[in-house]
C-alpha cells in the first residue's frame, strides 16, 4: 500500500521545524509595511550606539585571536612542565569561547567581552590563576589585570588593547580539546567540579538560545531594541531584582518561537503583547527540561520547595536548568509588568502610524515619578576600597527592596539601576561615594488621620547584611560606610548630578551643591540625621517593635538593643536581623526626640518632637522647597503623603514647625540601649548561628528613618 505512505512523506516535508514547547501562535509572513517599520526601527536605534562599527568589531576579533593563541601557548607550557608526552602536547588544544551579548551578536559600542578558557584535564584551576595570570601580566596590551579567585564563578578580569574582558576557566575531563568542540554536549559535564560547571553554563545557555530561535538576525535586532528599551526605562539589572541580559534574551527568544516568520518590528510588538498578559509565575521555557542523571540541582518546583516562591521564573535551556530571575521581587515584577503594558500601548500606536519608534525609547523621569525616595550612599577612603565596597552594597540592595515591600504601609519600592557619584560631605578628608535612589509608594490607608511609618528595622537589616558579608569575606576596611536617608521629590535635586535632573530643576542645582560642598547642608536634606552606619568591628542586634498612631492603630517602629557578637556568618538572608557592628562616633548623644504615646510601650516613638525656633538653614530649605512647588509637577492623588522637613542643627532632631499639612517626617540617629528596659534587651532569634562573643565590643550608634504621614 504505497499511496498512503507517499502522502505521509509529503505531509512531513510540509511541516515546518517546531521551536519551543508549544506550537507557534502565528506563522504569518511579514507584509511590506512590517518590513518598512523594521527599517525605521533600525534607523531609530543607530543614534543610541547599539550597533558597533565594523572596524571596532574587527578589532575585537583580532584581540580574541591573540588571547586564543596565548591560551594554546600556555597550555603547551603547562603540559611540558607536567611531563605530558610530546605527541599529546602537539594536539593538546585549548580554546577561548565567548558568551553573553558578544556571542549573541547584540553587544554595543564599548561593551566588554565574556570569555571562557577551556583546557584539558591535566591543566588545573591553580595553573590558570598562577602561570596564566603571569603570562597575561607580561603582555604589553594587557592593563588593569586582576584575579577574583574566590568569587562564586572565579574570574580573571583585564583590559586587552582597551577592550575589557572577563575570562572564566573550565577544565574538561578530556585529554585534548578539539577545535570543533560543542559545549552543548551534556556528557562534557561528567566528572567536573561545580565551579567548572558554573563556568560552562554561560556558554551552554548562550549557544542553546541561538539554536532555539527560528531566525537569528530577526532575534538579534529585536533583542537590541528590547535591551535598549529596558535600560531606558530603568528595568535592566539582574543584581537589583530586574532582568539581566540573558533573561531579556530568553524572553525575546520565546517571542521568536511563537512568531517564527515575523520580522523585528512585529516581534517587538508581540513581545509586549505576550508578556504584558503572561500569567506569572508560570515559567518561560525555551525547551522541555531534560534530566541527564548527573545529580545536579535543577529548577523544579515539584521537587524543590523554594522554587515555588519564584515570582517571575525564566528558565535557562541548558542542563542544569536554572531560574535566571530568582532576584525578582513583588515590586520589581509589578514595575516590569506595568512597563510591558506601556510598551504595548506605544507599539500599538506605532503599528497604526500614530507614533514613531523614538517614543518607545523615551526615558521616563524617574526622579519625578514618586513623591518619596530613599537615598543610599556607599563611601570609602580609597578608590580601590570604594570599587569593592560599591560592588558588595549594590549586590545587597535587592534585600532592602524586599524588606521594604514587605512593610505593611509600602505598596512599591523601585530602585533606579543607575548609580550616581555622591555629593561631598564638606570635610577635608578625601572620600569616594556612590549613590542609589529608591522610589517609594505608600499605601492609601483608610480610617486614620495620622500614620507613623518606621523604616528603621528594614534599613538596619540591610546594613547588617552588608557589613556581615564584608567582614566574612575579609574585605572590610574601617572607613567603609553606608548612609541611608529619606528625601522627598522636591528636594532630591540637591543630591543629584546635573545629568539626572530635568531641565526645570537645574536652576536649583548650583545652590544645592554649593551648600553641600560648603558643609552648610547635611546630606540628609529632607530628613536630617541620615542613616550613617558606622564602621563595624563588633555586632549588635535589632528587634522590630510597633508604635501606634494617635488613634491607637498599629504602626511599625524599631527598638534596638546592643549585642556583643563577633564575626558573623556570610548569610545573605534578608530576614536575618543581626545588626551591623561599628565604632561609636565621638558626637554628643542624640536623643529620640519624640513624645511617648500613652498607648504604646515605653520604647516606642509615636509623636513628633516639640517645635523649636527656626534656624537660618531651616528657613532656607523651607523657602527653597516652597519656591519649587510652582515648578514641580502637580502631586499625584495616590494617597501616599508628601513631606517637608526642618532640621535642628544643634540636636539633629526634626522640627515639624515648617511641616506642610500633609506630612511630617523624621530621621533620627539614636542609641536606644540605655533607654530600653532589661526585658527588651534580648538578642534576635536569627542570630543563633553566631559562634563567639568579641573580647572588646564597640558601642553601636543606632539609627532610624521614621515618617509621619497625614491625610
Amino acid at each position: 500500500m504505497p499511496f498512503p505512505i507517499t502522502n505521509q512523506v509529503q505531509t512531513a516535508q510540509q511541516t515546518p521545524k517546531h521551536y519551543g514547547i508549544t506550537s507557534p501562535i502565528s506563522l504569518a509572513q511579514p507584509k511590506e509595511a512590517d518590513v518598512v517599520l523594521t527599517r525605521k526601527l533600525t534607523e531609530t536605534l543607530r543614534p543610541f550606539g547599539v550597533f558597533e562599527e565594523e572596524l571596532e568589531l574587527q578589532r575585537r576579533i583580532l584581540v580574541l585571536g591573540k588571547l586564543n593563541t596565548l591560551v594554546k601557548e600556555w597550555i603547551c607550557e603547562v603540559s611540558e612542565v607536567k611531563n605530558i608526552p610530546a605527541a599529546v602536547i602537539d594536539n593538546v588544544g585549548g580554546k577561548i569561547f565567548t558568551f553573553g551579548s558578544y556571542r549573541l551578536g547584540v553587544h554595543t559600542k564599548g561593551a566588554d567581552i565574556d570569555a571562557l578558557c577551556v583546557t584539558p584535564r591535566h591543566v588545573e584551576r591553580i595553573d590558570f590563576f598562577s602561570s596564566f595570570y603571569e603570562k597575561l601580566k607580561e603582555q604589553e596590551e594587557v592593563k588593569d589585570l586582576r584575579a577574583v579567585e574566590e568569587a562564586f564563578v572565579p574570574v580573571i578580569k583585564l583590559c586587552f588593547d582597551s577592550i575589557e574582558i572577563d575570562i572564566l576557566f573550565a577544565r574538561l575531563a578530556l585529554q585534548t580539546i578539539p577545535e570543533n568542540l560543542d559545549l552543548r554536549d551534556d556528557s562534557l559535564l561528567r566528572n567536573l567540579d561545580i565551579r567548572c560547571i558554573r563556568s560552562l553554563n554561560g556558554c551552554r545557555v548562550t549557544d542553546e538560545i541561538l539554536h532555539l530561535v527560528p531566525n537569528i538576525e530577526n532575534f538579534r535586532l529585536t533583542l537590541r531594541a528590547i535591551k535598549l528599551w529596558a535600560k531606558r526605562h530603568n528595568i535592566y539589572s539582574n543584581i537589583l531584582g530586574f532582568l539581566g541580559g540573558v533573561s531579556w534574551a530568553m524572553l525575546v527568544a520565546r517571542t521568536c518561537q511563537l512568531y517564527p516568520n515575523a520580522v523585528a518590528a512585529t516581534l517587538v510588538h508581540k513581545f509586549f503583547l505576550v508578556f504584558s498578559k503572561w500569567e506569572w509565575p508560570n515559567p518561560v521555557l525555551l525547551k522541555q527540561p531534560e534530566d541527564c542523571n548527573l545529580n545536579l540541582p535543577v529548577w523544579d518546583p515539584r521537587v524543590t520547595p523554594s522554587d515555588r516562591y519564584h515570582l517571575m521564573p525564566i528558565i535557562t535551556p541548558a542542563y542544569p536548568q536554572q531560574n535566571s530571575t530568582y532576584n525578582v521581587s513583588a515590586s520589581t515584577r509589578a514595575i516590569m509588568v506595568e512597563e510591558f503594558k506601556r510598551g504595548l500601548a506605544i507599539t500599538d500606536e506605532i503599528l497604526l502610524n500614530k507614533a514613531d519608534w523614538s517614543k518607545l525609547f523615551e526615558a521616563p523621569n524617574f526622579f519625578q515619578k514618586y513623591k518619596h525616595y530613599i537615598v543610599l550612599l556607599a563611601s570609602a577612603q580609597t578608590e580601590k576600597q570604594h570599587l569593592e565596597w560599591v560592588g558588595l552594597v549594590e549586590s545587597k540592595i535587592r534585600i532592602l527592596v524586599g524588606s521594604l515591600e514587605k512593610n505593611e504601609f509600602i505598596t512599591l519600592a523601585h530602585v533606579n539601576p543607575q548609580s550616581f557619584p555622591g555629593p561631598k560631605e564638606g570635610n577635608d578628608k578625601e572620600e569616594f561615594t556612590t549613590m542609589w535612589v529608591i522610589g517609594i509608594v505608600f499605601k492609601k490607608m483608610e480610617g486614620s488621620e495620622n500614620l507613623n511609618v518606621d523604616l528603621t528595622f528594614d534599613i538596619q537589616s540591610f546594613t547588617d547584611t552588608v557589613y556581615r558579608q564584608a567582614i566574612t569575606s575579609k574585605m572590610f576596611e574601617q572607613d567603609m560606610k553606608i548612609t541611608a536617608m529619606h528625601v522627598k521629590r522636591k528636594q532630591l535635586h540637591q543630591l543629584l548630578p546635573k545629568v539626572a535632573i530635568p531641565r526645570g530643576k537645574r536652576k536649583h542645582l548650583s545652590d544645592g551643591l554649593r551648600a553641600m560642598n560648603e558643609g552648610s547642608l547635611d546630606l540628609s536634606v529632607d530628613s536630617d540625621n541620615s542613616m550613617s552606619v558606622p564602621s563595624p568591628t563588633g555586632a549588635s542586634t535589632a528587634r522590630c517593635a510597633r508604635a501606634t498612631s494617635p488613634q491607637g492603630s498599629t504602626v511599625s517602629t524599631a527598638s534596638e538593643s546592643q549585642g556583643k557578637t563577633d564575626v558573623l556568618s556570610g548569610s545573605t538572608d534578608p530576614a536575618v536581623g543581626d545588626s551591623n557592628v561599628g565604632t561609636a562616633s565621638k558626637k554628643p548623644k542624640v536623643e529620640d526626640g519624640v513624645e511617648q504615646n500613652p498607648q504604646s510601650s515605653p520604647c516606642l516613638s509615636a509623636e513628633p518632637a516639640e517645635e523649636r525656633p527656626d534656624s537660618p538653614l531651616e528657613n532656607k530649605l523651607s523657602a527653597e522647597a516652597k519656591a519649587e512647588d510652582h515648578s514641580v509637577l502637580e502631586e499625584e492623588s495616590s494617597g501616599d503623603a508628601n513631606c517637608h522637613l526642618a532640621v535642628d542643627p544643634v540636636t539633629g532632631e526634626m522640627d515639624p514647625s515648617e511641616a506642610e499639612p500633609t506630612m511630617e517626617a523624621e530621621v533620627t540617629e539614636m542609641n536606644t540601649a540605655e533607654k530600653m528596659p532589661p526585658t527588651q534587651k534580648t538578642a534576635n532569634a536569627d542570630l543563633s548561628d553566631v559562634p563567639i562573643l568579641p573580647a572588646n565590643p564597640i558601642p553601636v550608634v543606632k539609627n532610624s528613618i521614621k515618617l509621619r504621614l497625614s491625610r
Side-chain angles (χ1 to χ4, degrees):
M1 294 174 49
F3 188 74
I5 295 176
T6 305
N7 267 354
Q8 289 175 6
V9 171
Q10 289 175 344
T11 303
Q13 289 174 344
Q14 292 170 0
T15 303
K17 183 179 178 181
H18 184 67
Y19 293 92
I21 62 172
T22 64
S23 57
I25 293 175
S26 171
L27 293 172
Q29 296 292 328
K31 300 175 182 176
E32 181 60 31
D34 300 326
V35 176
V36 171
L37 278 173
T38 299
R39 198 176 303 122
K40 289 181 179 179
L41 173 62
T42 303
E43 293 306 311
T44 304
L45 291 174
R46 286 195 189 283
F48 290 100
V50 300
F51 299 106
E52 192 171 50
E53 300 295 334
E54 184 64 28
L55 194 62
E56 184 66 21
L57 181 59
Q58 292 303 320
R59 193 162 72 93
R60 287 179 184 269
I61 294 171
L62 185 63
V63 164
L64 286 170
K66 290 180 181 178
L67 196 57
N68 197 53
T69 302
L70 283 175
V71 165
K72 292 181 184 297
E73 291 176 0
W74 164 67
I75 291 175
C76 288
E77 292 165 5
V78 173
S79 302
E80 290 176 3
V81 170
K82 298 190 176 184
N83 297 318
I84 302 298
V88 176
I89 292 177
D90 291 340
N91 300 300
V92 71
K95 190 174 180 181
I96 285 286
F97 292 84
T98 59
F99 61 99
S101 61
Y102 178 80
R103 175 72 178 95
L104 288 172
V106 295
H107 61 285
T108 57
K109 291 179 181 177
D112 63 355
I113 297 176
D114 296 310
L116 171 69
C117 174
V118 175
T119 69
R121 62 192 178 201
H122 62 272
V123 179
E124 302 180 49
R125 186 173 298 275
I126 192 170
D127 299 319
F128 178 72
F129 283 101
S130 56
S131 57
F132 185 62
Y133 181 87
E134 292 300 321
K135 191 173 185 67
L136 288 171
K137 193 186 289 186
E138 295 169 0
Q139 309 304 311
E140 290 183 5
E141 304 99 323
V142 173
K143 310 290 182 187
D144 302 328
L145 180 65
R146 56 201 185 278
V148 191
E149 195 169 353
E150 301 305 318
F152 185 71
V153 181
V155 60
I156 288 179
K157 294 174 172 285
L158 68 148
C159 195
F160 198 117
D161 195 16
S162 302
I163 297 174
E164 292 184 18
I165 305 176
D166 293 349
I167 311 176
L168 310 183
F169 173 83
R171 166 197 180 206
L172 301 184
L174 301 174
Q175 189 177 32
T176 62
I177 303 298
E179 279 297 312
N180 61 349
L181 180 67
D182 186 354
L183 294 179
R184 292 185 302 142
D185 184 354
D186 293 331
S187 65
L188 294 175
L189 302 181
R190 296 187 187 280
N191 305 315
L192 297 191
D193 70 58
I194 189 64
R195 289 173 299 179
C196 287
I197 291 173
R198 288 179 193 144
S199 298
L200 284 165
N201 191 54
C203 285
R204 286 167 52 80
V205 168
T206 306
D207 288 354
E208 281 286 3
I209 290 172
L210 290 174
H211 280 82
L212 289 169
V213 294
N215 184 304
I216 291 179
E217 289 307 312
N218 289 340
F219 163 75
R220 284 174 173 162
L221 183 55
T222 307
L223 181 54
R224 286 184 191 276
I226 294 301
K227 286 180 69 173
L228 175 63
W229 166 82
K231 290 175 182 176
R232 300 281 290 172
H233 287 254
N234 299 309
I235 54 173
Y236 190 107
S237 175
N238 176 57
I239 201 170
L240 292 176
F242 296 103
L243 304 190
V246 69
S247 299
W248 290 115
M250 287 189 285
L251 292 187
V252 171
R254 185 69 187 117
T255 308
C256 292
Q257 291 178 340
L258 294 172
Y259 300 90
N261 298 321
V263 291
T266 306
L267 289 170
V268 170
H269 175 253
K270 298 302 184 184
F271 171 90
F272 292 119
L273 176 65
V274 169
F275 294 110
S276 63
K277 300 180 185 302
W278 193 271
E279 295 181 355
W280 305 106
N282 287 331
V284 175
L285 295 161
L286 296 182
K287 60 183 282 192
Q288 285 293 353
E290 300 170 358
D291 189 359
C292 298
N293 297 317
L294 297 179
N295 295 321
L296 295 173
V298 298
W299 186 86
D300 190 346
R302 298 168 301 178
V303 176
T304 311
S306 61
D307 291 346
R308 299 168 196 165
Y309 297 97
H310 292 171
L311 300 177
M312 200 174 180
I314 301 172
I315 311 306
T316 56
Y319 180 84
Q321 296 84 9
Q322 302 294 320
N323 175 23
S324 66
T325 59
Y326 58 87
N327 285 342
V328 170
S329 68
S331 283
T332 54
R333 185 179 74 176
I335 292 162
M336 286 187 283
V337 170
E338 187 60 32
E339 291 294 348
F340 290 153
K341 291 177 180 177
R342 287 186 187 141
L344 177 61
I346 292 171
T347 50
D348 279 340
E349 292 181 8
I350 293 170
L351 294 187
L352 294 172
N353 291 319
K354 293 181 179 179
D356 296 327
W357 283 110
S358 58
K359 184 175 181 179
L360 183 65
F361 305 113
E362 288 176 1
N365 188 353
F366 177 84
F367 305 108
Q368 285 290 325
K369 190 172 184 179
Y370 303 104
K371 293 184 181 180
H372 301 282
Y373 295 87
I374 289 177
V375 174
L376 290 178
L377 296 105
S379 58
Q381 290 301 311
T382 69
E383 192 169 4
K384 182 177 182 297
Q385 291 174 4
H386 177 248
L387 190 65
E388 294 177 339
W389 185 232
V390 164
L392 176 61
V393 172
E394 186 174 48
S395 72
K396 305 300 179 189
I397 289 177
R398 61 186 172 83
I399 293 174
L400 174 59
V401 170
S403 183
L404 290 172
E405 68 187 17
K406 289 173 186 172
N407 189 298
E408 59 184 318
F409 303 110
I410 291 178
T411 300
L412 184 139
H414 182 184
V415 57
N416 188 339
Q418 185 179 4
S419 60
F420 302 95
K424 302 291 183 183
E425 288 195 46
N427 52 29
D428 297 331
K429 206 171 183 181
E430 185 179 19
E431 198 170 55
F432 296 88
T433 308
T434 294
M435 176 172 63
W436 296 268
V437 183
I438 305 173
I440 302 292
V441 176
F442 289 101
K443 288 182 181 174
K444 186 173 184 179
M445 305 298 290
E446 300 293 338
S448 177
E449 298 249 344
N450 298 303
L451 189 65
N452 295 330
V453 179
D454 192 336
L455 305 180
T456 302
F457 182 74
D458 304 317
I459 298 289
Q460 199 66 51
S461 297
F462 163 68
T463 57
D464 295 344
T465 301
V466 176
Y467 279 129
R468 185 172 61 248
Q469 182 73 37
I471 293 170
T472 304
S473 61
K474 299 180 180 177
M475 67 163 278
F476 176 74
E477 297 293 341
Q478 196 70 15
D479 292 313
M480 290 177 172
K481 292 187 299 184
I482 307 174
T483 304
M485 65 195 79
H486 167 263
V487 181
K488 70 174 183 175
R489 176 170 59 197
K490 64 180 65 176
Q491 292 179 329
L492 189 60
H493 70 279
Q494 297 183 44
L495 293 173
L496 294 170
K498 178 181 278 190
V499 294
I501 298 170
R503 290 182 180 178
K505 285 289 200 175
R506 287 184 183 171
K507 60 183 179 181
H508 303 294
L509 176 69
S510 57
D511 294 338
L513 287 183
R514 189 183 306 116
M516 281 185 280
N517 290 333
E518 292 171 357
S520 62
L521 176 63
D522 188 84
L523 284 179
S524 56
V525 183
D526 188 34
S527 48
D528 190 40
N529 286 327
S530 58
M531 288 286 296
S532 184
V533 182
S535 306
T537 55
S540 64
T541 61
R543 294 286 282 177
C544 186
R546 298 285 170 189
T548 58
S549 69
Q551 286 72 29
S553 60
T554 301
V555 189
S556 77
T557 68
S559 74
E560 299 109 358
S561 62
Q562 291 203 2
K564 299 178 180 180
T565 54
D566 195 12
V567 176
L568 305 175
S569 70
S571 168
T572 57
D573 186 352
V576 177
D578 50 303
S579 295
N580 64 289
V581 287
T583 56
S585 57
K586 295 182 180 180
K587 296 179 181 178
K589 183 178 177 182
V590 180
E591 294 297 339
D592 199 359
V594 292
E595 294 180 8
Q596 302 298 331
N597 188 304
Q599 299 180 11
S600 63
S601 64
C603 67
L604 305 181
S605 57
E607 296 296 327
E610 61 182 61
E611 297 184 8
R612 290 177 174 78
D614 298 343
S615 70
L617 172 60
E618 293 168 6
N619 291 330
K620 178 181 177 181
L621 283 176
S622 178
E624 183 177 298
K626 289 175 181 176
E628 289 164 4
D629 282 339
H630 302 292
S631 61
V632 178
L633 295 174
E634 193 65 26
E635 306 282 38
E636 305 97 326
S637 56
S638 61
D640 60 320
N642 190 12
C643 70
H644 174 68
L645 296 180
V647 180
D648 189 295
V650 178
T651 65
E653 296 173 350
M654 303 315 304
D655 185 348
S657 61
E658 293 290 331
E660 296 175 7
T662 55
M663 178 173 182
E664 295 168 0
E666 69 179 305
V667 179
T668 56
E669 188 172 314
M670 60 183 179
N671 186 334
T672 61
E674 296 179 4
K675 297 190 286 184
M676 292 180 60
T679 55
Q680 294 187 0
K681 295 183 181 181
T682 56
N684 192 311
D686 289 325
L687 296 181
S688 57
D689 60 340
V690 177
I692 54 176
L693 302 177
N696 299 303
I698 305 296
V700 176
V701 179
K702 282 299 179 178
N703 308 274
S704 66
I705 289 184
K706 300 176 184 177
L707 312 177
R708 186 175 183 188
L709 311 181
S710 302
R711 303 301 155 217

